[in-house]
Amino acid sequence: METTRATPMQGPLAGLRILDISTVVAGPFAASLLADYGADVTKVEMPKRGDALRALAPHKDGVPLWWKVTNRNKKGVTLDLRMPECRAVLERMVRNNDVLVENFRPGTLDGWGITAKWLHDINPSLTILRMTGFGQSGPYRDRPGFARVFEAMSGFTHICGEQGGTPLHLGYPVSDAIGGLFGALGVMSALYELKQNPGRRGQEIDCSITEAMLRVLEFLPIEYDQLGAVRTRSGNFSQYAAPGNVYQTADGRWASIAASTQSIFVRLCKALGMTEIAGDARYLDNQARVANREVLDREVAAAIARLTIDELRARLDLHEVGFSPINDIADVFADPHLRARQAIVSVPDSELGTVRMQGVVPRFSDTPGSVREAGPALGAHNDQVFESLGFSRTEIDALREKGVI
């Protein structure tokens, strides 16, 4: 695996300064993506207890591992935003940054005196990303929210699970990551507009995680609007192409295969020694195959069950049929393609020494991003950051004694 080192800022966003006062996953994930591309991100946490993400499993020797990835490439400071004394510190930080990322419930920052007007009076060009579950308006705006709530409300969870069975949540809060992706894209779009119109005030970006999940469902809304159709669960069956399922091999492994075009279906039949069914009237095109997918799927499953995963891989590769074994994370680390691509990188960490995590996505030909360091220990950069803002050691010690930092 490639080893990255703590290097000076590099990447297409080198020079961009971001103040991340958000918590848990979605907002910090958005800021982390921008940090991967070279942005200088300062992460703010509550003094003593830190971000709630630190409490979530898994841990090693008391060190939070999830935190290390979601807050990589960031400087870590502590600041109690609820205290009036924080305002003098925050004012200097806001003046020194281009973007503010927050994900408090709407109105929370206003209640602490940190209004958009106050922020823009300090830094008129400041771009403010507001990540929330339901948005800054509407009857649900004040509700508490969690990833599973957003996924259920958007319609995503309704289509996950076995046919006729209970709706299933995924084993990871995917809506937080998707919301973070939209948040990062929103920041870049707002910064581009500001570059085109440098005299304008920085924008506030209202990013609803529920709406981000709804957006990635693509055709489900228009299908309902125009056809009255309500998609539901189909297990591992593809609802759009056949055959498409997860199949078990002779050695107990699982493989995911989809034959979404006619030419791929014909090649799959050749690979599995089933050429006689390629001309079957029930399977002449994808529409016919979807209509008869259950009987077709049984035939494909029976053919695959006679092969080991390596035999199946060899046959499908030979006939150019796309598939993948269902990898666990150990398989991901061992996969020759991902190893060749250095998709997992080794990263220095102040608490654990060296840790391995995902590399930067996507890759830039001329200004590559990098993973410079894992997420910082609580308040690791307090002295460095606050001194850079002009606070003396005496002032910093006084703020620490009051519990402001």
Side-chain angles (χ1 to χ4, degrees):
M1 300 292 176
E2 178 191 9
T3 299
T4 66
R5 303 186 185 279
T7 57
M9 295 297 177
Q10 56 183 330
L13 297 185
L16 180 67
R17 295 163 301 179
I18 298 174
L19 181 59
D20 177 10
I21 65 172
S22 61
T23 62
V24 196
V25 180
F29 184 70
S32 177
L33 292 174
L34 301 173
D36 280 357
Y37 307 150
D40 183 354
V41 180
T42 301
K43 166 68 178 177
V44 173
E45 299 180 75
M46 280 289 292
K48 296 183 180 179
R49 71 169 183 257
D51 192 303
L53 184 59
R54 289 186 180 274
L56 296 182
H59 294 81
K60 179 182 179 182
D61 300 329
V63 177
L65 301 182
W66 193 346
W67 165 271
K68 292 294 179 183
V69 184
T70 304
N71 291 286
R72 68 193 196 182
N73 289 337
K74 300 178 185 179
K75 297 186 184 78
V77 302
T78 53
L79 183 65
D80 191 337
L81 299 173
R82 303 168 304 175
M83 298 181 67
E85 294 90 341
C86 91
R87 299 278 294 280
V89 181
L90 186 61
E91 179 175 348
R92 295 193 197 183
M93 299 180 84
V94 168
R95 186 175 291 114
N96 199 48
N97 281 273
D98 305 298
V99 178
L100 175 77
V101 178
E102 67 95 358
N103 65 344
F104 295 94
R105 287 196 213 178
T108 298
L109 289 180
D110 289 358
W112 298 338
I114 307 170
T115 65
K117 181 181 185 305
W118 183 78
L119 292 167
H120 280 141
D121 283 348
I122 297 166
N123 184 350
S125 64
L126 184 71
T127 294
I128 304 171
L129 171 61
R130 301 192 187 275
M131 295 285 310
T132 58
F134 310 107
Q136 298 294 312
S137 61
Y140 299 167
R141 58 163 259 163
D142 295 324
R143 287 185 177 181
F146 301 92
R148 290 189 167 204
V149 174
F150 315 143
E151 291 157 23
M153 182 176 165
S154 69
F156 176 78
T157 306
H158 181 73
I159 61 174
C160 297
E162 293 297 328
Q163 186 172 3
T166 303
L168 292 179
H169 284 295
L170 302 184
Y172 174 80
V174 65
S175 60
D176 282 336
I178 289 175
L181 284 163
F182 276 96
L185 177 61
V187 167
M188 296 314 303
S189 299
L191 290 175
Y192 178 79
E193 194 276 339
L194 193 61
K195 180 181 177 182
Q196 301 299 105
N197 302 279
R200 289 189 183 175
R201 179 172 294 239
Q203 294 193 57
E204 291 181 76
I205 303 166
D206 177 1
C207 187
S208 158
I209 302 174
T210 299
E211 291 166 16
M213 285 301 297
L214 178 60
R215 176 64 182 86
V216 299
L217 293 182
E218 280 286 88
F219 68 85
L220 266 67
I222 196 172
E223 180 184 45
Y224 172 71
D225 176 64
Q226 295 296 304
L227 303 176
V230 177
R231 295 250 168 195
T232 187
R233 295 167 292 288
S234 61
N236 285 318
F237 275 122
S238 168
Q239 296 193 21
Y240 329 113
N245 207 339
V246 171
Y247 303 95
Q248 190 167 30
T249 60
D251 52 348
R253 293 291 303 273
W254 294 92
S256 182
I257 300 174
S260 55
T261 67
Q262 185 65 26
S263 60
I264 295 175
F265 174 65
V266 172
R267 296 201 300 271
L268 175 65
C269 290
K270 291 179 181 177
L272 298 179
M274 302 169 58
T275 53
E276 71 282 356
I277 74 167
D280 190 310
R282 294 172 297 174
Y283 313 139
L284 284 179
D285 56 32
N286 185 62
Q287 184 175 353
R289 290 195 299 276
V290 169
N292 295 283
R293 67 183 181 186
E294 292 187 8
V295 62
L296 172 60
D297 198 71
R298 286 195 292 270
E299 296 188 65
V300 172
I304 290 174
R306 294 190 288 268
L307 304 172
T308 67
I309 194 71
D310 289 336
E311 291 169 339
L312 178 64
R313 178 187 288 108
R315 290 192 183 201
L316 296 183
D317 284 350
L318 179 64
H319 290 86
E320 297 184 336
V321 177
F323 102 109
S324 175
I326 303 297
N327 287 340
D328 61 23
I329 195 61
D331 297 322
V332 169
F333 269 64
D335 186 278
H337 177 80
L338 296 176
R339 289 177 66 89
R341 291 273 297 171
Q342 297 177 335
I344 301 291
V345 296
S346 295
V347 181
D349 178 70
S350 62
E351 296 175 290
L352 298 172
T354 298
V355 295
R356 291 188 288 176
M357 62 181 68
Q358 306 92 319
V360 177
V361 182
R363 304 181 183 203
F364 298 86
S365 61
D366 297 328
T367 55
S370 63
V371 189
R372 300 173 292 280
E373 292 182 273
L378 182 61
H381 300 94
N382 274 358
D383 289 347
Q384 175 189 338
V385 170
F386 296 138
E387 284 184 8
S388 73
L389 295 173
F391 289 97
S392 68
R393 282 299 181 98
T394 302
E395 290 173 314
I396 293 171
D397 289 342
L399 290 168
R400 186 176 286 116
E401 187 173 338
K402 292 178 181 178
V404 179
I405 64 173

